[in-house]
Amino acid sequence: GAVVSQHPSWVICKSGTSVKIECRSLDFQATTMFWYRQFPKQSLMLMATSNEGSKATYEQGVEKDKFLINHASLTLSTLTVTSAHPEDSSFYICSATGGPGNQPQHFGDGTRLSIL
Amino acid sequence: AQSVAQPEDQVNVAEGNPLTVKCTYSVSGNPYLFWYVQYPNRGLQFLLKYITGDNLVKGSYGFEAEFNKSQTSFHLKKPSALVSDSALYFCAVRDWGDSNYQLIWGAGTKLIIKP
């Protein structure tokens, strides 16, 4: 149980393109979803926290207009990287939890984004 | 401030030997503690958690971790390492008193098991 599906797994696109990444909880209701960015050989950097039906809470330094997050249902959250540039190239990972706070986050397999 | 420290960037162990991956934490209240494993180009997989109760927690793939309140530690252990255990391991903590579900993450420890 507790499966999170993330698509696509790999994206290569030209600079200026917008890219949408989907994160779905397949067998549970995800009241809260998280979006992380991971640089090579580094830990996870939390970008934003989203709760179903409300606006995402972004971490300091993360551009809201660059990284659009929508959590429209209890099973789906999307991250759109708008007008992507090479510096946005990274590994993006989503996670989801149905709560309460002592429950683990369940992770998608990540999306490798390469902007040319 | 809450924090997690994984003091070793890398741990090398021979196959069949016991392994330990260290984690210490700092929270203002009581901790929820988690261990995750990450294989290359993959997301994180949940291994085990400590919430309350027994200090020794057993998890997936034969891993266990011991909660030590006085030393504020939550080291990950396995009695006999496998080559397939080679991966990146993350420790994470959350304070019971926090109203959100965010985790504070350690920097990760690369575990290398040599045949």
Side-chain angles (χ1 to χ4, degrees):
Chain A
V3 178
V4 174
S5 174
Q6 186 174 342
H7 290 282
S9 57
W10 202 294
V11 179
I12 302 174
C13 58
K14 294 181 180 180
S15 184
T17 305
S18 291
V19 178
K20 179 183 282 188
I21 302 170
E22 290 190 350
C23 181
R24 294 181 183 270
S25 58
L26 298 185
D27 52 3
F28 67 102
Q29 293 187 327
T31 52
T32 305
M33 286 186 168
F34 303 88
W35 287 95
Y36 293 91
R37 186 172 178 175
Q38 187 178 31
F39 294 98
K41 299 183 180 180
Q42 292 192 24
S43 187
L44 303 174
M45 183 193 81
L46 180 64
M47 299 175 65
T49 302
S50 73
N51 293 296
E52 184 266 340
S54 60
K55 289 184 178 180
T57 302
Y58 290 81
E59 295 300 301
Q60 192 172 5
V62 177
E63 298 178 59
K64 299 178 183 181
D65 296 332
K66 161 68 82 174
F67 300 100
L68 300 178
I69 292 171
N70 184 280
H71 191 166
S73 77
L74 284 171
T75 60
L76 175 64
S77 177
T78 60
L79 167 68
T80 301
V81 184
T82 61
S83 187
H85 292 286
E87 59 266 28
D88 299 323
S89 298
S90 193
F91 192 56
Y92 294 88
I93 312 175
C94 73
S95 72
T97 181
N102 60 8
Q103 294 304 305
Q105 293 179 19
H106 301 284
F107 285 79
D109 273 344
T111 298
R112 175 73 60 192
L113 178 61
S114 296
I115 308 299
L116 305 177
Chain B
Q2 299 179 64
S3 65
V4 175
Q6 293 182 243
E8 302 152 318
D9 291 337
Q10 184 169 308
V11 171
N12 298 299
V13 177
E15 186 177 26
N17 283 0
L19 69 87
T20 299
V21 183
K22 296 179 180 177
C23 172
T24 58
Y25 67 91
S26 175
V27 296
S28 56
N30 292 313
Y32 293 138
L33 292 155
F34 303 86
W35 274 103
Y36 287 84
V37 60
Q38 184 181 30
Y39 297 99
N41 295 309
R42 301 292 299 275
L44 278 66
Q45 295 180 32
F46 168 70
L47 280 179
L48 51 81
K49 66 178 180 180
Y50 173 81
I51 304 301
T52 186
D54 290 341
N55 290 339
L56 185 63
V57 178
K58 294 188 182 297
S60 305
Y61 312 120
F63 284 94
E64 58 188 28
E66 187 166 11
F67 171 64
N68 187 316
K69 188 172 183 178
S70 62
Q71 298 185 3
T72 61
S73 67
F74 190 56
H75 301 330
L76 182 70
K77 300 180 180 183
K78 187 173 183 180
S80 178
L82 300 173
V83 172
S84 58
D85 292 329
S86 299
L88 188 56
Y89 290 80
F90 290 99
C91 180
V93 69
R94 179 177 173 271
D95 190 312
W96 285 20
D98 278 352
S99 58
N100 63 49
Y101 294 154
Q102 291 180 9
L103 293 174
I104 306 301
W105 295 89
T109 298
K110 186 175 184 180
L111 178 63
I112 298 177
I113 309 300
K114 297 182 178 179

